[in-house]
Amino acid sequence: MTVNYPYKRKQAPASNQKTVDFGKRGMSFEDDLERSNAFYLAADRAVIHKKPTPMQIVKVDYPARSAAKITEAYFIKPSTTDFNGVYKGRYIDFEAKETSNKSSFPLDNLHEHQVRHMEKSSQHGGIVFLLVKFSQLNEIYLLPNEKLKIFWLEYKEGNRRSIKKNEFATHGILILEGAYPRVDYLNAIDGLLEKT
């Protein structure tokens, strides 16, 4: 299936280059988060879901009457953040990213419209944060929006390219992986709420 992102042109790889599929990057982390959200919902702790991205279907193949296959689609508009919902009567909104880098998270993995959305949600009283999984280290950090916006401003001014892992350790909250739920980020949110 061909999925086209808005505002970006795809470059054809040189004939001697391999084509790399980035479509599944971070999916296992997102899958773990979706399972955690299902656990929270079943336990009546929170209602948090992954946001669907609006798509326009352009081409569908019908090899058989019961086997329609979408072969080309376009994102209608850029998405905001990955997850949102309600916890303890508060709006929750967060972006989830995974990096194979052991020492830092590159800020070019975020988009301007996502960060603007996070800031607006925070201004209106939402609990807003970035979850980053350092996959090589198997460590997950919750970084509150208040810290993210400082790092993002430095990035936009050209004074920073990434957030160091030790900055996540200093300004964020380490989330330990478990069984049920797999990624228990609500305990980290409880820690944030205690500080406010």
Side-chain angles (χ1 to χ4, degrees), residues 8-9 11 21 24 27 50 52 54-55 58 64 70 91-92 99 121 127 134 162 172-173 187:
K8 289 196 178 187
R9 287 182 185 243
Q11 272 187 296
D21 180 16
K24 294 291 184 186
M27 287 307 289
K50 181 163 176 36
M55 298 181 95
V58 177
I70 298 169
Y91 176 71
I92 301 284
T99 182
S121 297
I127 300 168
F134 289 89
S162 63
I173 300 170
N187 281 339

Side-chain angles (χ1 to χ4, degrees), residues 26-179:
M27 287 307 289
S28 63
F29 182 42
E30 284 190 5
D31 290 344
D32 286 344
L33 288 168
E34 288 198 71
R35 283 191 286 275
S36 298
N37 290 339
F39 176 84
Y40 291 147
L41 185 62
D44 202 25
R45 287 188 65 197
V47 178
I48 301 169
H49 296 286
K50 181 163 176 36
K51 293 185 208 174
T53 303
M55 298 181 95
Q56 178 181 0
I57 297 170
V58 177
K59 186 175 178 186
V60 180
D61 286 342
Y62 295 95
R65 190 173 187 91
S66 62
K69 179 181 176 185
I70 298 169
T71 57
E72 187 175 356
Y74 292 88
F75 288 113
I76 295 171
K77 60 182 180 178
S79 63
T80 54
T81 50
D82 289 330
F83 296 90
N84 71 344
V86 180
Y87 176 57
K88 293 186 175 179
R90 299 278 302 272
Y91 176 71
I92 301 284
D93 199 302
F94 67 95
E95 180 68 15
K97 297 289 185 184
E98 187 169 3
T99 182
S100 59
N101 191 318
K102 292 180 181 181
S103 60
S104 64
F105 169 74
L107 281 161
D108 62 5
N109 286 342
L110 294 172
H111 301 283
E112 183 79 36
H113 65 274
Q114 291 175 316
V115 177
R116 275 197 315 264
H117 170 80
M118 292 170 80
E119 181 56 22
K120 282 290 183 191
S121 297
S122 185
Q123 287 172 0
H124 285 275
I127 300 168
V128 182
F129 52 92
L130 172 67
L131 280 184
V132 173
K133 180 173 184 175
F134 289 89
S135 56
Q136 296 292 318
L137 304 170
N138 205 30
E139 292 181 9
I140 300 169
Y141 289 92
L142 181 152
L143 185 69
N145 187 63
E146 294 73 29
K147 297 297 181 185
L148 173 61
K149 72 179 180 182
I150 294 167
F151 295 139
W152 184 258
L153 182 60
E154 292 172 356
Y155 169 70
K156 295 305 288 180
E157 291 172 347
N159 299 322
R160 164 186 294 274
R161 295 181 66 188
S162 63
I163 304 172
K164 305 288 183 213
K165 190 183 102 38
N166 65 351
E167 292 174 313
F168 278 96
T170 301
H171 302 291
I173 300 170
L174 177 65
I175 298 171
L176 301 175
E177 288 184 295

